[in-house]
Amino acid sequence: MTDRETGERLPAAPGATPDPVVVGERRGMFGARDTGDTTGYGGMVSPILFPAAAVRPYGSFFDEVADQLERSLVGGTASYAEAVERVVVDRGEMTLFVRREHLRAVARVLRDDPALRFEICTGVSGVHYPQEEGRELHAVYHFLSITHGGRRVRVEVTAPDADPHIPSIVETYPANDWHERETWDMFGIEFDGHPALTRILMPDDWPGHPQRKDYPLGGIPVEYKGATVPPPDQRRSYN
């Protein structure tokens, strides 16, 4: 039986969420646009689907996490409704979309509440969606609870290209130190309050952030012990 028949790879389990959101379309199979297509797949057009916000009941332990987070945020700097934009349940995983100004409060509750106790943040990674005006940069955090048998939840926070600031959670999860540095280095997200937000992979004087989708593909000269490899658009042509 195929994945499509079982529903395991659908954007959302039928009945658990509204229909997925169409955010764009993909043409062809390999994404090439500026060259002649010789694959025979150039006429393919497929929608780019993102899962929509889930509706109750979420299933699994997800309702318990949402309910406890809502209770624990009472009396703090923001309510659950103010801190959490939406909840997405997709492919058996839960993602909490949290407004950036409330990230630290949510992270502390996830760690400290005995009914939640997500002791470990396994890291933060960046994503760049140029088409999402006003929320182009995403920081995605992965939390793990050993106390509660290996439960996992994901927290996603957005920021605009024009104001790429997201609060650091290193004070709550010290092991996130290097992960925030790498996300800054690769995507340009500035984690406010980080103890030493410096490059971790690229040289200190490197311009730009290589994993953003507006970064040039090729055309970057690279030097190896005095020898220079020219950028792709300046190399010898074999046509």
Side-chain angles (χ1 to χ4, degrees), residues 132-153:
E132 287 195 35
E133 187 175 351
R135 45 191 297 132
E136 293 89 352
L137 295 168
H138 291 225
V140 186
Y141 302 81
H142 307 271
F143 294 94
L144 169 66
S145 173
I146 301 298
T147 298
H148 296 287
R151 289 180 173 181
R152 295 177 185 268
V153 298

Side-chain angles (χ1 to χ4, degrees), residues 102-126:
H102 303 305
L103 172 62
R104 284 176 177 156
V106 170
R108 283 193 296 269
V109 168
L110 289 175
R111 185 194 66 179
D112 296 341
D113 190 291
L116 296 172
R117 196 68 78 190
F118 288 90
E119 306 98 331
I120 300 173
C121 179
T122 60
V124 57
S125 52

Side-chain angles (χ1 to χ4, degrees), residues 4-210:
R4 182 171 294 278
E5 290 172 330
T6 63
E8 292 179 359
R9 298 300 297 173
L10 291 174
T17 68
D19 291 337
V21 179
V22 179
V23 298
E25 66 178 20
R26 181 179 291 108
R27 293 182 175 271
M29 178 170 285
F30 304 104
R33 299 180 181 178
D34 300 329
T35 59
D37 174 63
T38 59
T39 66
Y41 293 104
M44 291 180 60
V45 178
S46 57
I48 300 173
L49 303 177
F50 277 16
V55 294
R56 297 278 197 151
Y58 300 142
S60 186
F61 60 85
F62 304 146
D63 292 281
E64 182 182 339
V65 168
D67 290 341
Q68 188 59 37
L69 182 60
E70 183 173 5
R71 287 190 290 266
S72 299
L73 288 172
V74 172
T77 57
S79 68
Y80 179 87
E82 293 170 327
V84 179
E85 295 180 4
R86 68 183 187 276
V87 176
V88 170
V89 176
D90 185 50
R91 295 177 172 87
E93 298 178 334
M94 180 186 201
T95 302
L96 301 165
F97 282 79
V98 174
R99 294 179 175 87
R100 57 178 172 170
E101 60 268 28
H102 303 305
L103 172 62
R104 284 176 177 156
V106 170
R108 283 193 296 269
V109 168
L110 289 175
R111 185 194 66 179
D112 296 341
D113 190 291
L116 296 172
R117 196 68 78 190
F118 288 90
E119 306 98 331
I120 300 173
C121 179
T122 60
V124 57
S125 52
V127 191
H128 186 218
Y129 295 107
Q131 75 278 8
E132 287 195 35
E133 187 175 351
R135 45 191 297 132
E136 293 89 352
L137 295 168
H138 291 225
V140 186
Y141 302 81
H142 307 271
F143 294 94
L144 169 66
S145 173
I146 301 298
T147 298
H148 296 287
R151 289 180 173 181
R152 295 177 185 268
V153 298
R154 182 187 295 109
V155 169
E156 192 157 341
V157 184
T158 68
D161 274 340
D163 181 27
H165 292 268
I166 291 175
S168 169
I169 62 169
V170 168
E171 183 177 341
T172 305
Y173 291 96
N176 222 39
D177 186 341
W178 284 18
H179 296 283
E180 289 185 5
R181 285 180 59 195
E182 182 176 6
T183 304
W184 143 248
D185 195 358
M186 295 290 102
F187 291 91
I189 298 175
E190 299 185 30
F191 293 94
D192 297 336
H194 189 284
L197 195 62
T198 57
R199 297 272 191 186
I200 193 171
L201 297 174
M202 308 303 291
D204 288 339
D205 59 352
W206 187 269
H209 304 280

